[in-house]
Amino acid sequence: MPFDFASVSAPFRMQPGLRRLAAGATQLTPNAPADRALREKLAVLGTYADQALLCAPGFDATSCLQALSQHAAGEHPQAWSSDGAGHGHAIRLGWSVREGEVRQHGTEQPDIGPCLHALPLPWRLPALMSLAFAEDFAVIDGRTAHIPWLAVCLPSGWAPEEKVGRHFAQVHAPVADNQLLVTASDHLARLVTGTERWARDVWSITRHPRLHAHPARLDPAPWPVLADAHALAERAFFRTEHQTFIPVPQLQQAVFTIHVTLTPLTQAVTHAYQARQLHDALASMSDAVLAYRGLTDARDRLLNWLQARASA
């Protein structure tokens, strides 16, 4: 899904930015064999599954995951099917799981089988669903504003294992200039677990080249000191997240979906108006936000490049 630059605003503020989804708008993005999101998710589940697949003690995600599975089958019947709880078939990938039993239906993606077999039985179906779609998933409980379950392989600079079971406000505590997010936490949790569908889009500029951006595996190297504005922009990436909420109102819960994209900055900014919007938003970021996003040392050079692109 192309990023909507209308989501880039100045002055920049850390805020919920929720909007209602239009009728018929899709919330999931099927993976095809060898897609980048699929490759990176397989690598994460093969090595760091305990940091990606997480559940708070005592929480039962069965009903919420069944609602997600039904939503996926209804939205993308060519990619996912299910004939009841405990079953899911990733049609494009040629694999299915039934009551924890892994079955192969084709030869498109042979490495999925060993990945799933290495996981505990209760996690095999959620893992297959995670591989079948580009999105990561989390469950939000509207009654408590806690996040008791996550299947997040591609985090953006945060550690899922530190967030599971925590309150919305605690999850967003490390975010710079987070007052609006923290203050609205309980209201947001109730809102997105109601009957309407909501979405938001967030963005950043990063030097890290992978969708998987767990803080323990980010390259600590700084932005290159000697690179000029053009050279720096050529090494930068535009990272976006399209986030949506699939409500399960009968449970007062919702499935939070996160679709991460990563595009070289020079390819993402193709129009002068996009460069102007990014320039003005970046120029208005506070020092705290720049530090939180790792942009302090790059800000001035990125502004120079964006200004030149806006004038071209």
Side-chain angles (χ1 to χ4, degrees), residues 28 37 57 66 69 97 100-101 134 136 143 155 168 183 188 202 222-223 232 237 245 258 280:
L28 301 176
Q66 178 59 19
S69 181
V97 172
E101 181 184 351
D136 280 331
R143 294 164 296 186
F168 238 42
T183 302
L188 289 173
V202 297
W223 291 93
L232 192 80
F237 296 88
F245 301 84
I258 312 168
D280 294 348

Side-chain angles (χ1 to χ4, degrees), residues 176-260:
D177 292 356
N178 64 3
Q179 184 175 357
L180 286 174
L181 292 173
V182 171
T183 302
S185 291
D186 290 295
H187 170 69
L188 289 173
R190 291 191 297 271
L191 182 68
V192 301
T193 56
T195 57
E196 295 185 278
R197 299 188 304 153
W198 298 87
R200 66 190 294 257
D201 292 281
V202 297
W203 63 272
S204 188
I205 299 173
T206 178
R207 63 187 181 275
H208 302 293
R210 294 183 303 277
L211 296 175
H212 173 65
H214 190 288
R217 285 172 287 282
L218 289 177
D219 184 351
W223 291 93
V225 176
L226 300 179
D228 62 16
H230 181 74
L232 192 80
E234 287 189 325
R235 299 187 185 191
F237 296 88
F238 188 56
R239 186 181 182 97
T240 70
E241 290 187 10
H242 179 61
Q243 305 173 356
T244 79
F245 301 84
I246 300 173
V248 190
Q250 67 272 24
L251 300 176
Q252 289 183 262
Q253 294 174 356
V255 178
F256 178 41
T257 78
I258 312 168
H259 183 189
V260 177

Side-chain angles (χ1 to χ4, degrees), residues 29-45 93 109 111 130-136 153-155 206-213 218 235-240 259-265 267:
T29 311
N31 276 328
D35 275 357
R36 180 177 184 177
L38 175 59
R39 296 197 310 270
E40 291 203 30
K41 285 186 174 191
L42 274 169
V44 171
L45 292 178
L93 305 184
Q109 199 75 43
D111 44 355
S130 178
L131 295 173
F133 295 94
E135 284 75 15
D136 280 331
C153 297
L154 310 176
T206 178
R207 63 187 181 275
H208 302 293
R210 294 183 303 277
L211 296 175
H212 173 65
L218 289 177
R235 299 187 185 191
F237 296 88
F238 188 56
R239 186 181 182 97
T240 70
H259 183 189
V260 177
T261 63
L262 195 68
T263 309
L265 183 63
Q267 297 177 22

Side-chain angles (χ1 to χ4, degrees), residues 89-154:
H89 181 191
I91 299 167
R92 287 185 173 182
L93 305 184
W95 291 91
S96 68
V97 172
R98 183 182 295 276
E99 302 298 336
E101 181 184 351
V102 178
R103 299 179 180 178
Q104 185 173 8
H105 302 272
T107 59
E108 294 89 347
Q109 199 75 43
D111 44 355
I112 287 178
C115 174
L116 296 179
H117 279 114
L119 298 174
L121 263 65
W123 279 111
R124 291 177 179 176
L125 182 57
L128 179 61
M129 193 175 305
S130 178
L131 295 173
F133 295 94
E135 284 75 15
D136 280 331
F137 305 114
V139 172
I140 298 172
D141 191 317
R143 294 164 296 186
T144 65
H146 282 64
I147 301 177
W149 186 96
L150 299 100
V152 176
C153 297
L154 310 176

